Amino acid sequence: MFPGSYEPRKYEYLQNELSFETANYKVYGASFGNNVIDAPNKVCLYFYGNGECVSTTARLLSHLAENTGYNFYCFDYPGYGKTESKIVSSTTNKSW
């Protein structure tokens, strides 16, 4: 399933923390891979599953970047990892 031999271990692979601001909160994420300049056509935006965050997928993304040559970008959803969330009254379900 994985390219190369996947062993859950600590990867000493380049990981850059990224962030950007929205109207309601700051979104945090990370990049894994060499860099876009060396491989501009090999970029993947990774969306993790329920209950995960960037830190729980770091080993997998480091492994994939190392074995495929792709650059991976992953961001935390609001309320996950370092990304905070704020309740906005217009999106609150008033029946609760």
Side-chain angles (χ1 to χ4, degrees), residues 67-84:
N67 287 279
T68 64
Y70 276 75
N71 297 288
F72 288 83
Y73 293 85
C74 184
F75 293 92
D76 282 324
Y77 297 106
Y80 287 83
K82 290 176 66 176
T83 300
E84 297 178 359

Side-chain angles (χ1 to χ4, degrees), residues 23-55:
N24 298 317
Y25 45 83
K26 189 170 188 177
V27 177
Y28 288 92
S31 66
F32 302 85
N34 292 326
N35 63 53
V36 179
I37 294 171
D38 292 338
N41 297 324
K42 293 186 171 186
V43 175
C44 179
L45 182 58
Y46 182 84
F47 296 92
Y48 55 78
N50 186 34
E52 295 179 309
C53 64
V54 172
S55 64

